Amino acid sequence: MIRLSIAIATAALIATPALSAPQIGKPAPDFTLNDASGKPVRLSGFKGRTVVLEWNNPGCPFVQKHYTSGNMQKAQSAAHAQGAVWLTINSGAPGKQGHMAGPQALAFQKAEKMHATAYLLDPKGIAGRAYDAKTTPQMFVINPAGTLVYAGAIDNKPTADTADIKTARNHVLAALAEVKAGKPVSVAWSKPYGCAVKYAD
């Protein structure tokens, strides 16, 4: 049994994906994925730091809402300013809408001027299923102790309209601020919205 005091659960889920969604207040499932350049990145390698997970599909209008407006990049920069890690994950399977190989992902990062720590490729849906990620974008925040403290939508405006961003509550930024202040996350869960993650059949 992994002790709760361990920052990140050490049981890698590459070979054995979780069968149920992770729970708020419990250790976040570990995983290892390759980034867009082919370098393996392990979640538990960021032990002691706050981590944001963002599920991404560049062809999804809801994702485009937050990238074309610069809202997602702004949130990524704000996270970095607080010392947090931001991992963007693409769980689109080969042949499915939104899937990207390494060169495409690198080009996407450059074109969008992303500020994510890494863009991770998950073509087998291992991390996606471990987190029960259903939509793009879908967000998770993990505190420095390795505990999942937020899961859900990026904000409270479930539309593809960029005009809604200015009046939205950004749940991720709010959670990061509360974690940094040592406070409980006041909105720990929200219903995610967006396009369905295109897993392999």
Side-chain angles (χ1 to χ4, degrees):
M1 177 64 71
I2 300 172
R3 296 176 56 189
L4 292 178
S5 60
I6 298 175
I8 299 287
T10 56
L13 294 170
I14 276 187
T16 54
L19 298 177
S20 60
Q23 298 180 5
I24 301 296
K26 299 292 185 182
D30 196 12
F31 59 79
T32 301
L33 297 173
N34 286 339
D35 68 12
S37 62
K39 178 184 176 182
V41 175
R42 188 169 186 173
L43 176 63
S44 56
F46 299 107
K47 178 181 178 180
R49 299 178 65 183
T50 300
V51 178
V52 177
L53 304 182
E54 169 211 347
W55 258 264
N56 177 273
N57 170 354
C60 171
F62 294 90
V63 171
Q64 292 169 356
K65 163 190 174 183
H66 293 289
Y67 274 98
T68 58
S69 65
N71 187 52
M72 193 68 80
Q73 297 92 325
K74 182 179 178 181
Q76 292 165 349
S77 293
H80 280 303
Q82 296 183 25
V85 172
W86 188 294
L87 302 177
T88 301
I89 301 173
N90 186 324
S91 295
K96 299 292 184 70
Q97 188 263 334
H99 168 76
M100 291 193 298
Q104 295 167 298
L106 288 171
F108 176 72
Q109 287 181 275
K110 183 177 180 180
E112 297 295 344
K113 299 180 180 178
M114 293 177 66
H115 299 293
T117 306
Y119 192 101
L120 304 180
L121 303 177
D122 183 32
K124 295 182 179 179
I126 292 168
R129 290 191 170 96
Y131 278 80
D132 197 29
K134 297 183 182 303
T135 70
T136 56
Q138 187 167 340
M139 313 298 296
F140 298 85
V141 177
I142 302 163
N143 72 11
T147 301
L148 185 67
V149 295
Y150 175 75
I154 184 172
D155 60 26
N156 62 346
K157 298 285 186 178
T159 75
D161 187 352
T162 57
D164 289 336
I165 291 174
K166 61 184 178 182
T167 57
R169 180 189 193 272
N170 189 309
H171 294 315
V172 174
L173 293 182
L176 289 175
E178 289 169 337
V179 169
K180 184 179 181 181
K183 299 178 180 177
V185 174
S186 55
V187 178
W189 180 89
S190 66
K191 184 177 181 180
Y193 68 89
C195 307
V197 177
K198 308 298 190 295
Y199 292 114
D201 295 331

